Amino acid sequence: MMKKENKFVRFDTFFVNFMLQIEERNPSTEQRKEAFHLFREKTGKIMFASFPTMQKWFGLGGYAEPGRSQIFEFAFFLPLSPEELNQFLQCGLRAPAIQINDYQETIFWYGLENSYTYEKCLELILNFERHMTADIEIQHISQTGDLLRQFQLKKNLSEEQFMGWMMANAGAFKGYSQTTLNYLIKYKKTILKHARLEQKESLETALSDTDYASWKAKHRLRLKSEPEGDKIRQYIYNNRKLPEEQRKEILNMVSFVYFEDDSNVRLISEIFSKKSVPGKYYPSLHVMTEKYLSDLLNVAVHKEREIRMIQAERYLETMHDTPKDPCPEWIIMRIQEYTGNLCGGRATVEEALSCISMYRKEHKRRLVQIDRSDLLPFVQCVALQSYMESIQYESDQYDFREARKQFIELADQTLTACNMARFSEEYELDALLLAGFQENECYLYGEMLEEMGR
């Protein structure tokens, strides 16, 4: 198991090393102070956050990580090259590199390539939003590679030409990675499929201790056309001799094997711990909740709604001279669809803007991004399932070294495809998952968290 005194590369370590151009696993307090003062000097003492929060970015007085948007902001003041910005995102935050499918990040990237100011990029972003047509079709497909190739050809064009290219491809800038989402969905289905098969074996074992087989044979004509799950339920409901605890256990297994969709609750119970993470020692680890997982899996819906509401907001802003005029019908319909009649059937421009502002403020917390910390526990579970299945068919013994090797290979394959930093034991989560591969058995993410919390 991992020891609490182990040191890992966190954002503060990365930031100090970057600013001072050193390589220290555990920078001293003096080095942290020097890096912080250098950062303040190079950025003109701009307040990207509160003073104590910025100090914590360097591990002074606590620990905190900047948000992705804050890194994009101070990238223009340090300044950073696009390659250095990607280091901050991938190695510092352990997040995806610049998202070419996000129009804001693409414009920031263009700005860094052409020595634009941060404020100038904000103007371009606002201009892009104002010119997005209401009937734009968001393209929920994987096209990162194509966009990257086009961007490399367009990044040195004039502002007018570059923005013209972006507008011509507006539907491609959907704000999230379809490739990453596809991996998450694929791994979810794989894990639940395996869990369902295991539960089916347990169900068959439980039913073998009852007279279900003889009951089914006796009623075979009546039950002939009914699905197996319905047969088992009828048997349980009609058999009052079974102990209540046994009845509940069998019904629960039947529900999962035959009737449930790909439940997030079941998925969380397979991989994650419901206990709190000891944040004092493990600040980068988090507990997966049903709500957070739902937001991750529905990122396409949430991102499109945000884009649609921004379109409506920008359109209404052009009517600022007539705030009491009726709001356009297409915006009313959109507000009703997303908010559930928050504004009623009719509204003025002013009222609609208020509704949209309220919605975007509330909706912001649902605009999550799939990161390494979300993907890797899924990868570990899938890799272990695949390995255990392979040795079962080949009658081999469990070899933790081979299981670990296959996990790292799948992790690197997934992370590379998702434009994230490769697997490394220098990261806290990676080391934790790797430590789960013990000589005689393997512990999944949630089991490791529970062990550490004892």
Side-chain angles (χ1 to χ4, degrees):
M1 296 293 179
M2 285 195 347
K3 296 184 182 297
K4 294 177 180 177
E5 61 266 21
N6 281 357
K7 298 294 182 182
F8 301 99
V9 174
R10 305 188 309 185
F11 184 82
D12 58 334
T13 310
F14 171 85
F15 210 173
V16 172
N17 284 336
F18 180 87
M19 294 304 303
L20 301 183
Q21 293 298 292
I22 59 175
E23 293 184 9
E24 288 286 344
R25 178 61 68 89
N26 187 23
S28 66
T29 300
E30 289 306 312
Q31 287 174 320
R32 293 173 186 274
K33 289 179 179 178
E34 181 185 354
F36 174 66
H37 290 307
L38 183 59
F39 170 74
R40 294 283 287 156
E41 179 184 327
K42 284 195 169 188
T43 57
K45 298 188 176 180
I46 293 173
M47 299 297 290
F48 302 102
S50 69
F51 194 83
T53 296
M54 289 191 295
Q55 285 185 312
K56 290 176 183 177
W57 294 349
F58 293 84
L60 296 169
Y63 176 72
E65 294 182 352
R68 190 177 180 91
S69 61
Q70 290 170 313
I71 288 182
F72 272 91
E73 184 177 0
F74 67 61
F76 285 85
F77 295 90
L78 276 175
L80 301 178
S81 68
E83 293 73 24
E84 289 171 331
L85 173 56
N86 277 335
Q87 289 180 35
F88 268 81
L89 297 172
Q90 292 179 305
C91 304
L93 281 190
R94 302 164 305 282
I98 301 172
Q99 298 282 276
I100 190 66
N101 41 48
D102 184 303
Y103 68 85
Q104 296 186 22
E105 296 194 5
T106 300
I107 290 173
F108 282 135
W109 188 352
Y110 173 74
L112 288 173
E113 291 280 3
N114 293 278
S115 302
Y116 283 15
T117 65
Y118 178 70
E119 291 74 16
K120 174 64 176 178
C121 289
L122 292 181
E123 289 178 15
L124 294 180
I125 290 170
L126 185 60
N127 186 53
F128 180 85
E129 292 173 346
R130 284 173 174 166
H131 287 84
M132 281 193 294
T133 58
D135 59 351
I136 183 177
E137 182 179 349
I138 307 299
Q139 300 167 17
H140 297 290
I141 57 176
S142 297
Q143 50 191 329
T144 301
D146 185 48
L147 280 176
L148 281 171
R149 284 188 290 273
Q150 289 189 53
F151 178 83
Q152 293 301 329
L153 296 173
K154 309 289 184 181
K155 65 182 182 181
N156 294 320
L157 292 178
S158 67
E159 177 185 319
E160 182 179 355
Q161 290 173 315
F162 180 78
M163 294 306 293
W165 168 72
M166 286 199 65
M167 287 308 311
N169 295 275
F173 299 103
K174 55 187 177 293
Y176 70 96
S177 168
Q178 186 68 49
T179 298
T180 305
L181 177 59
N182 288 345
Y183 269 105
L184 189 67
I185 293 171
K186 173 187 174 182
Y187 290 156
K188 173 189 174 180
K189 290 181 177 179
T190 300
I191 292 166
L192 287 176
K193 179 181 178 181
H194 187 274
R196 194 169 275 112
L197 288 173
E198 284 192 337
Q199 190 80 295
K200 188 176 182 180
E201 291 178 4
S202 299
L203 174 61
E204 290 170 352
T205 300
L207 289 172
S208 68
D209 293 333
T210 69
D211 62 346
Y212 172 65
S214 59
W215 176 88
K216 187 168 67 169
K218 180 179 178 181
H219 299 281
R220 63 184 180 280
L221 293 178
R222 179 173 62 84
L223 300 171
K224 184 177 179 181
S225 61
E226 295 199 21
E228 183 66 15
D230 288 331
K231 293 176 185 177
I232 299 172
R233 280 184 168 178
Q234 284 188 45
Y235 167 73
I236 297 298
Y237 293 147
N238 292 321
N239 189 342
R240 297 296 176 183
K241 295 180 180 179
L242 288 176
E244 185 63 23
E245 185 175 336
Q246 187 179 11
R247 287 163 53 84
K248 287 182 179 179
E249 181 183 7
I250 291 176
L251 285 173
N252 185 50
M253 288 190 284
V254 169
S255 177
F256 179 42
V257 172
Y258 293 105
F259 297 101
E260 283 185 13
D261 293 329
D262 288 342
S263 165
N264 288 345
V265 176
R266 293 279 185 179
L267 183 71
I268 289 172
S269 69
E270 285 292 317
I271 308 177
F272 300 96
S273 170
K274 294 182 179 179
K275 297 183 179 180
S276 298
V277 181
K280 176 181 178 183
Y281 298 105
Y282 309 103
S284 70
L285 305 181
H286 66 87
V287 176
M288 180 71 74
T289 65
E290 185 181 358
K291 181 182 179 302
Y292 180 67
L293 179 57
S294 175
D295 287 341
L296 289 175
L297 292 165
N298 288 285
V299 63
V301 174
H302 297 316
K303 289 289 187 179
E304 176 160 354
R305 288 188 170 192
E306 174 70 1
I307 290 172
R308 299 295 187 194
M309 281 304 214
I310 288 174
Q311 287 175 318
E313 188 172 49
R314 297 294 175 252
Y315 185 90
L316 290 174
E317 286 172 352
T318 66
M319 304 173 66
H320 62 88
D321 290 335
T322 55
K324 300 302 180 182
D325 278 6
C327 174
E329 184 65 23
W330 67 272
I331 295 180
I332 289 292
M333 291 176 63
R334 188 158 291 166
I335 291 173
Q336 289 179 331
E337 179 186 356
Y338 294 170
T339 66
N341 293 321
L342 185 63
C343 294
R346 291 178 293 178
T348 64
V349 170
E350 186 177 50
E351 290 168 339
L353 274 171
S354 177
C355 287
I356 292 172
S357 176
M358 186 186 307
Y359 171 83
R360 290 191 62 200
K361 184 177 179 180
E362 290 295 315
H363 189 245
K364 186 176 181 180
R365 64 177 183 271
R366 310 204 71 173
L367 297 174
V368 297
Q369 184 177 60
I370 303 172
D371 287 338
R372 292 174 89 261
S373 59
D374 304 312
L375 278 174
L376 282 177
F378 284 75
V379 175
Q380 185 207 28
C381 187
V382 169
L384 182 62
Q385 287 177 350
S386 177
Y387 172 73
M388 296 304 291
E389 194 171 285
S390 69
I391 64 172
Q392 177 185 354
Y393 290 128
E394 297 175 8
S395 301
D396 290 341
Q397 292 294 320
Y398 168 75
D399 182 344
F400 78 97
R401 288 175 292 268
E402 180 60 26
R404 186 168 57 186
K405 175 175 172 288
Q406 291 187 20
F407 162 56
I408 295 173
E409 288 175 352
L410 184 60
D412 275 338
Q413 173 193 321
T414 305
L415 294 170
T416 299
C418 297
N419 213 9
M420 300 176 187
R422 290 170 64 88
F423 189 89
S424 171
E425 288 187 73
E426 291 192 342
Y427 298 131
E428 193 170 37
L429 174 61
D430 302 34
L432 172 70
L433 294 174
L434 206 58
F437 291 88
Q438 301 290 301
E439 186 170 353
N440 297 315
E441 59 184 317
C442 182
Y443 297 91
L444 293 178
Y445 178 69
E447 295 169 326
M448 290 292 289
L449 289 187
E450 291 179 5
E451 182 68 24
M452 286 165 22
R454 289 174 183 169

